Amino acid sequence: MKVGVFDSGVGGLTVVKSLLEQKLFKEIIYFGDTARVPYGVKDKNTIIRYAVEALEFFKNFDIDILVIACNTVSAYALERLVQEADIPVVGVINPGAIALQNAFEDRDTNILVIGTKATVKSGNYETLLKQEGYKNITSIPTGLFVPIVEEGIFEGEVLDATMRYYFKDVKNIDAVILGCTHFPLIEKKISGYFGGAKCIHSGDAIVEYLQKNYNCDKNFERTSVQFFASDNPDGLKNVAREWLGDLLHE
Amino acid sequence: MKVGVFDSGVGGLTVVKSLLEQKLFKEIIYFGDTARVPYGVKDKNTIIRYAVEALEFFKNFDIDILVIACNTVSAYALERLVQEADIPVVGVINPGAIALQNAFEDRDTNILVIGTKATVKSGNYETLLKQEGYKNITSIPTGLFVPIVEEGIFEGEVLDATMRYYFKDVKNIDAVILGCTHFPLIEKKISGYFGGAKCIHSGDAIVEYLQKNYNCDKNFERTSVQFFASDNPDGLKNVAREWLGDLLHE
């Protein structure tokens, strides 16, 4: 099977990492819209327009399924993409909410949802989890984590100060939904801030979801990955090498 | 006279502020490319392409002169814009270098240039100042200041930690070139970090430059300003009201 992975930039590589680790596909086509990243501070209509344009790009590759790695795109454009595409399109939000349910049966679990301004504003995670009976959900936009991670900062006082800034009024968290593909890179620090809270990671969540719903369980020995970017493709490939390392067969 | 002001996003409003304070123009047309902001992490060719597209936008307005408020665009696309436009196009980098010379005759002045990754990589300020005989120039990309300011953070521990992160190896600075339109909003903090160093501000620099080179000294009683954005124009107008306040006659 051949999967397309769409992201607003480099963040979706954390999802590719999970797909590679679990050997779900024979071929991965990754497209990051680095010329227009970030999406998370932009308007709903703009996000939808960009996502529909990305769909056109994937028509070049005869993919079997499209994974929307970006939480912001999943929140705003998934419905539209599902309508327009003639292949299955899967976002990360529904899988994330299901992963949380699998990990925490107790409906009194204290849940923190973090993401970009746009993702949190959409309220998608919150809506899904409330439908399932979860009562204690706090959502906080933590947009600065994105440029901090892109700056290559994964620990230290800038990150510590930013966590205190965002989380100063939040206590006793059991589970954190990492509602942005950049956040797995600082997962340990976020978990540590809340005394070891479990973090729900879009990449792991979507792997579970694909295995269960799309028969993606082939354990391909070798996955070929092609990377495309709307700006500075070499930059994207460098980040891919850094984040994915030995998982890439070059 | 009618001026166009182009910026990658909201940052150029600090330049509009200087233009309004000095009453240089009868009319200001501001365009922020908020759908594709930030430019400062993007590739030279992408930045040029976006800037040329913005030029098309301004053709709708019969402007007399175009001011490029964005340092990144000034660094990479000014030459091309000057070629393509049939009106004068002025960037902020040359005016900034001249403002520094006016403030510091001593060629041993310790100068710090800060800006986005792309602006610093261009080396434009450094080249201009070295041509004028300045010897002690340090340049540091401080891209995180942009999202920090856009998050509405102008003081406090996130900013303090970020300044220490970027400036840990820098001492004895006399002058700081604020090579990004967002930075005037944290000018006091940056100046304070270096014990009261003088900051060179693109807005003030370009006012001096326009007065000297383009006869812009009309002291118009009233300036009408129109704001345009490629994404979320209402968001831009809100920031404009917040930053420019009473300078706007609505």
Side-chain angles (χ1 to χ4, degrees):
Chain A
M1 251 173 119
K2 192 174 183 177
V3 64
V5 177
F6 173 51
D7 190 63
S8 56
V10 299
L13 294 171
T14 61
V15 170
V16 170
K17 191 175 185 194
S18 301
L19 298 178
L20 286 173
E21 281 168 348
Q22 301 304 322
K23 303 173 179 171
L24 286 201
F25 296 99
K26 193 165 178 226
E27 247 185 291
I28 298 176
I29 307 290
Y30 183 94
F31 175 58
D33 192 7
T34 46
R36 306 191 288 199
V37 75
Y39 286 9
V41 294
K42 284 159 195 164
D43 230 39
K44 184 182 170 173
N45 291 330
T46 302
I47 294 162
I48 293 175
R49 177 158 58 88
Y50 289 174
V52 170
E53 287 175 24
L55 200 59
E56 287 303 306
F57 170 83
F58 282 105
K59 286 186 182 159
N60 294 298
F61 294 94
D62 197 25
I63 54 174
D64 301 300
I65 185 168
L66 177 61
V67 168
I68 308 301
C70 176
N71 279 267
T72 304
V73 175
S74 299
Y76 287 103
L78 185 63
E79 210 182 320
R80 176 72 176 274
L81 292 173
V82 167
Q83 280 168 12
E84 301 226 349
D86 46 14
I87 50 163
V89 183
V90 184
V92 287
I93 292 185
N94 199 22
I98 292 170
L100 184 123
Q101 291 166 54
N102 293 339
F104 294 90
E105 287 203 357
D106 182 355
R107 267 42 186 172
D108 286 323
T109 300
N110 291 305
I111 302 165
L112 174 65
V113 178
I114 57 175
T116 64
K117 219 174 262 186
T119 298
V120 168
K121 194 178 159 200
S122 79
N124 283 17
Y125 280 111
E126 210 155 335
T127 306
L128 288 171
L129 292 170
K130 282 189 173 162
Q131 279 168 1
E132 296 297 325
Y134 294 91
K135 293 181 285 289
N136 308 323
I137 309 167
T138 306
S139 299
I140 301 179
T142 58
L144 275 180
F145 289 155
V146 176
I148 285 173
V149 164
E150 297 218 335
E151 189 88 3
I153 298 175
F154 306 119
E155 59 180 8
E157 66 162 341
V158 170
L159 182 57
D160 291 342
T162 307
M163 287 197 294
R164 284 193 295 271
Y165 172 76
Y166 282 132
F167 300 147
K168 59 183 180 299
D169 301 324
V170 191
K171 281 194 191 102
N172 303 322
I173 293 298
D174 307 306
V176 182
I177 293 193
L178 304 175
C180 173
T181 49
H182 284 75
F183 299 173
L185 291 150
I186 49 171
E187 176 175 351
K188 272 185 201 158
K189 296 294 293 182
I190 293 171
S191 170
Y193 185 93
F194 293 109
K198 181 173 171 64
C199 290
I200 303 292
H201 175 315
S202 298
D204 298 342
I206 204 146
V207 163
E208 277 181 55
Y209 188 85
L210 290 169
Q211 286 180 318
K212 198 164 170 202
N213 297 284
Y214 291 91
N215 269 329
C216 294
D217 202 7
K218 297 289 160 54
N219 281 302
F220 288 103
E221 275 280 301
R222 229 183 143 79
T223 304
S224 92
V225 195
Q226 283 181 270
F227 296 102
F228 298 90
S230 51
D231 175 64
N232 192 8
D234 289 338
L236 174 73
K237 280 174 198 161
N238 288 338
V239 179
R241 269 181 224 113
E242 200 178 309
W243 292 5
L244 305 176
D246 291 343
L247 290 166
L248 295 176
H249 307 277
E250 294 198 69
Chain B
M1 252 173 118
K2 192 173 183 177
V3 65
V5 178
F6 173 50
D7 191 63
S8 56
V10 300
L13 294 171
T14 61
V15 170
V16 171
K17 191 175 186 196
S18 301
L19 298 179
L20 287 173
E21 282 168 348
Q22 300 305 322
K23 304 174 177 170
L24 286 200
F25 295 99
K26 193 165 178 223
E27 247 184 290
I28 298 176
I29 307 290
Y30 183 93
F31 175 57
D33 191 6
T34 46
R36 306 191 288 198
V37 75
Y39 286 8
V41 293
K42 283 158 196 164
D43 229 39
K44 184 181 169 174
N45 291 330
T46 303
I47 294 162
I48 293 175
R49 179 160 55 90
Y50 289 174
V52 169
E53 288 175 24
L55 201 59
E56 286 303 306
F57 170 83
F58 282 106
K59 286 184 182 159
N60 294 299
F61 294 95
D62 198 23
I63 53 173
D64 300 300
I65 185 167
L66 177 60
V67 167
I68 308 301
C70 176
N71 279 264
T72 304
V73 176
S74 299
Y76 288 102
L78 185 63
E79 210 181 320
R80 176 73 176 274
L81 293 173
V82 167
Q83 279 167 12
E84 301 225 350
D86 47 13
I87 49 162
V89 182
V90 184
V92 286
I93 292 185
N94 199 21
I98 292 171
L100 184 124
Q101 291 167 54
N102 292 340
F104 293 90
E105 287 203 359
D106 183 355
R107 266 45 185 171
D108 286 323
T109 300
N110 291 304
I111 302 165
L112 174 65
V113 177
I114 57 176
T116 64
K117 218 173 262 186
T119 298
V120 168
K121 193 178 160 201
S122 79
N124 282 15
Y125 279 113
E126 210 156 331
T127 305
L128 288 171
L129 292 170
K130 281 188 173 162
Q131 279 168 0
E132 296 297 325
Y134 293 91
K135 293 181 284 286
N136 308 322
I137 310 167
T138 306
S139 299
I140 301 179
T142 57
L144 276 179
F145 289 155
V146 176
I148 286 173
V149 164
E150 296 217 336
E151 188 88 4
I153 298 175
F154 306 120
E155 58 182 8
E157 67 163 339
V158 171
L159 182 57
D160 291 342
T162 307
M163 287 197 294
R164 283 192 297 271
Y165 172 77
Y166 283 132
F167 300 148
K168 59 182 179 302
D169 300 323
V170 192
K171 282 195 189 100
N172 303 323
I173 293 297
D174 307 307
V176 182
I177 293 192
L178 304 174
C180 173
T181 49
H182 284 76
F183 299 173
L185 291 150
I186 49 171
E187 175 175 352
K188 273 185 200 157
K189 297 293 294 182
I190 292 172
S191 170
Y193 184 92
F194 293 108
K198 182 174 173 63
C199 290
I200 303 292
H201 174 316
S202 297
D204 297 343
I206 205 148
V207 162
E208 276 181 55
Y209 189 84
L210 291 169
Q211 286 181 318
K212 197 164 169 205
N213 297 284
Y214 291 92
N215 269 329
C216 295
D217 202 8
K218 296 291 162 48
N219 281 300
F220 288 103
E221 274 280 301
R222 232 183 141 79
T223 304
S224 92
V225 195
Q226 283 180 271
F227 296 103
F228 298 90
S230 52
D231 175 65
N232 192 7
D234 289 339
L236 174 73
K237 281 175 196 159
N238 287 338
V239 178
R241 268 180 225 114
E242 200 178 306
W243 291 5
L244 305 176
D246 292 342
L247 289 166
L248 296 176
H249 308 277
E250 296 198 65

